[in-house]
Amino acid sequence: MSASVAPADELSRPGLETPRPRPEKTRIAFIDIGRALGALLVVYSHIHVVWMHLQHGLTSPVTDALTAAFASPLHLVGQDLGQIGVPFFFLASGFVVSPIALRQGHGRFAVNRFFRIYPLLAFVILLAAGALLLGLHPIETGPRGPVTPLTVLANMTLANFVIHPQTLLLGVTWTLAVELIFYLLLIALLPVFRTATWLAIAIELAVIGLVMATHNQFGPSYAQLAFSVSLATLPVLGQIIWAGHAKRIPAWLAGGFLFVAWCLFIWAKDHQIGTVESGYPTAVTIAVLLFLVGLFAEEHLLQRRGWTYLSERTYSIYLMHGITVFIVLDALYGRVPLWLAVPAALAVTAVAVEISYRMVERPTAALGRTLSRRRRPTGAHRAPRPETVRA
């Protein structure tokens, strides 16, 4: 039977409208969604685990219900649901940044990354140092140490992660040290990535494994470096997924590399080189599975303004909440009910995030892009520009 064409009047009836074409996406929707949810989970976990539980011994019906429904069945101890958000960020970084580096080349990529990370980091470290000098208490997840010009400079440059004894003026910055190591590996191996992606990934994993194997051979500063290097397996996992998805390496090899990277991560945990919290392997597994589900569902996902808005501000959210949420909660503790104090802290944080994003993060990132375009993109990848999310 031959196909028939409906009369024009029938096309206007309910249910027979001509379907509107989907708007063209300029971003990777599942990355935006994952980063937005990941940032919210990290903020939730820091409020619940660090401020409420560890610092004040508090509970609430909401956090108890979420723990019973999700964290406990998934064995997410330590940082609770936020343990999923952090590895998702690392996976997204490896997946998104690798093709960007290939397209931009060494110099342009390095300039962009510098202006993407350091101006906002310096701004927030200065805020944290000022808060500490005033007797206030930003988030603390490691050895704090005194506030001196040297410790401020070390924290602003991330050199504190290779200086012993370590000082950590703002606890959440440990992830940036991991990101920086991944960027340096990527920049160093860009020529290899262009000609033999499989070899570049193999070298990355070998370097990480070598540093881990010698973590206790060269003193405490090297051990601190090895800690961050061991966690670089997480953005490398995202990079491997990108390489397999982009068909730069065969699927069977991507699977093999994923297995090796996972083994390195577990080795770091078992030998207390990297994170020692027992819930992180489960959290990483869940994050990888969610990442793969999002990747396969990408063609069915739409680019939404809300997800884009939050995703673009995740860096500001991640750094700023460690100051504002904790300071506001401390100020309100004992004066107003918890159900009122938490929304107030989140409202102050939302304002602070918007200010830091508009006044520091966005203009300095734009400056980095402007300066990097003036550099000659030696050896830059000339392939057509894919859908991207600004990492």
Side-chain angles (χ1 to χ4, degrees), residues 273-321:
I273 303 168
T275 179
V276 296
E277 292 186 359
S278 58
Y280 257 101
T282 303
V284 173
T285 302
I286 295 171
V288 170
L289 291 176
L290 291 176
F291 195 90
L292 292 174
V293 169
L295 178 61
F296 292 127
E298 174 61 24
E299 62 178 304
H300 304 291
L301 300 175
L302 298 178
Q303 183 175 320
R304 298 294 190 185
R305 184 176 301 177
W307 298 123
T308 300
Y309 179 91
L310 285 174
S311 179
E312 288 180 337
R313 289 158 176 77
T314 49
Y315 188 34
S316 285
I317 293 172
Y318 186 73
L319 289 181
M320 288 299 298
H321 88 276

Side-chain angles (χ1 to χ4, degrees), residues 29-327:
F30 90 92
I31 295 285
D32 275 342
I33 295 170
R35 293 201 326 187
L37 292 176
L40 296 178
L41 288 177
V42 169
V43 174
Y44 164 79
S45 292
H46 284 160
I47 293 174
H48 171 217
V49 177
V50 180
W51 190 85
M52 290 178 56
H53 178 64
L54 296 179
Q55 294 186 4
H56 298 284
L58 300 174
T59 61
S60 75
V62 174
T63 57
D64 288 347
L66 289 174
T67 298
F70 299 104
S72 293
L74 295 174
H75 303 286
L76 296 176
V77 297
Q79 289 298 313
D80 205 88
L81 293 174
Q83 285 181 310
I84 301 174
V86 172
F88 191 96
F89 279 122
F90 283 135
L91 294 170
S93 178
F95 186 89
V96 172
V97 166
S98 298
I100 291 176
L102 282 171
R103 185 174 66 247
Q104 293 180 345
H106 297 81
R108 186 178 174 189
F109 177 75
V111 171
N112 273 322
R113 290 296 95 189
F114 178 87
F115 281 93
R116 185 70 180 89
I117 290 179
Y118 278 108
L120 183 60
L121 172 64
F123 173 72
V124 175
I125 291 298
L126 288 175
L127 289 179
L132 290 168
L133 290 174
L134 292 173
L136 304 175
H137 301 285
I139 186 172
E140 184 175 1
T141 60
R144 176 142 285 166
V147 179
T148 67
L150 182 59
T151 58
V152 170
L153 179 61
N155 277 260
M156 288 171 62
T157 59
L158 299 175
N160 60 313
F161 290 96
V162 292
I163 295 176
H164 184 81
Q166 187 182 60
T167 59
L168 205 58
L169 301 183
L170 188 62
V172 297
T173 56
W174 66 270
T175 60
L176 300 182
V178 178
E179 290 281 358
L180 184 60
I181 289 168
F182 173 68
Y183 296 158
L184 293 174
L185 281 172
L186 181 55
I187 290 171
L189 291 170
L190 267 182
V192 186
F193 267 105
R194 293 194 189 98
T195 57
T197 301
W198 69 270
L199 180 59
I201 295 174
I203 293 173
E204 282 181 330
L205 294 174
V207 169
I208 293 172
L210 178 63
V211 173
M212 288 170 53
T214 58
H215 74 280
N216 59 354
Q217 301 297 313
F218 303 106
S221 293
Y222 184 80
Q224 288 179 194
L225 172 65
F227 173 89
S228 298
V229 170
S230 71
L231 292 172
T233 52
L234 299 180
V236 171
L237 281 170
Q239 184 182 71
I240 294 168
I241 295 173
W242 159 77
H245 179 69
K247 302 189 184 306
R248 297 185 68 93
I249 59 176
W252 65 267
L253 185 57
F257 279 146
L258 288 173
F259 177 75
V260 173
W262 173 253
C263 289
L264 288 173
F265 176 78
I266 297 300
W267 180 26
K269 174 191 171 298
D270 288 346
H271 290 78
Q272 298 187 359
I273 303 168
T275 179
V276 296
E277 292 186 359
S278 58
Y280 257 101
T282 303
V284 173
T285 302
I286 295 171
V288 170
L289 291 176
L290 291 176
F291 195 90
L292 292 174
V293 169
L295 178 61
F296 292 127
E298 174 61 24
E299 62 178 304
H300 304 291
L301 300 175
L302 298 178
Q303 183 175 320
R304 298 294 190 185
R305 184 176 301 177
W307 298 123
T308 300
Y309 179 91
L310 285 174
S311 179
E312 288 180 337
R313 289 158 176 77
T314 49
Y315 188 34
S316 285
I317 293 172
Y318 186 73
L319 289 181
M320 288 299 298
H321 88 276
I323 299 176
T324 54
V325 166
F326 281 66
I327 289 176

